[in-house]
Amino acid sequence: MPRGTTYDDGTHPGADLEVAGWTAILDAMEAAADHAEALLGKPDHGNRGDWTPAGIPGPLPQQLRERALLLAERQDTLVQRLEEARMSTQRQLNAVSSVPGVGAASAAVYLDITG
């Protein structure tokens, strides 16, 4: 089939590979969103390490468009929630650091002058 040719269903040669590639990418991004949501509920949940972007296998297949849009909305919501959690944590740290003696090295309160 010549390059640029499409089948009757609107797909083209290699479309299955694009769907599989994009499905894997969306799976990984959804797993990262799951992890971020878990962190919001359990701060000690752990670190997933650095994220490495996947190689893009071609244009996003039409049948995955709705999934990708839902994921983008979910990520936007997560960004807002994570920022709120960060600001809340910063307010708590500021409150704790404003208490005299918190975080400072302990010092003697009394001086023994009788020996």
Side-chain angles (χ1 to χ4, degrees):
M1 191 175 270
R3 184 171 180 81
T5 302
T6 58
Y7 298 117
D8 291 338
D9 65 359
T11 62
H12 59 278
D16 289 341
L17 291 174
E18 288 177 0
V19 169
W22 275 104
T23 298
I25 289 169
L26 293 173
D27 287 346
M29 293 174 76
E30 287 171 343
D34 291 342
H35 181 71
E37 286 175 335
L39 286 174
L40 284 167
K42 302 175 186 173
D44 61 343
H45 190 60
N47 182 356
R48 286 183 53 95
D50 293 334
W51 178 74
T52 304
I56 303 298
L60 179 69
Q62 185 64 31
Q63 66 258 40
L64 296 177
R65 184 176 189 275
E66 184 176 344
R67 180 180 175 189
L69 290 172
L70 289 171
L71 177 58
E73 287 178 25
R74 182 178 176 198
Q75 288 175 327
D76 286 341
T77 300
L78 276 168
V79 166
Q80 291 171 345
R81 290 179 60 201
L82 288 167
E83 180 60 18
E84 289 167 4
R86 186 198 66 78
M87 290 182 346
S88 174
T89 300
Q90 186 62 54
R91 283 191 298 273
Q92 292 174 25
L93 289 172
N94 290 344
V96 168
S97 66
S98 70
V99 176
V102 173
S106 60
V109 177
Y110 300 100
L111 177 61
D112 182 5
I113 57 169
T114 59

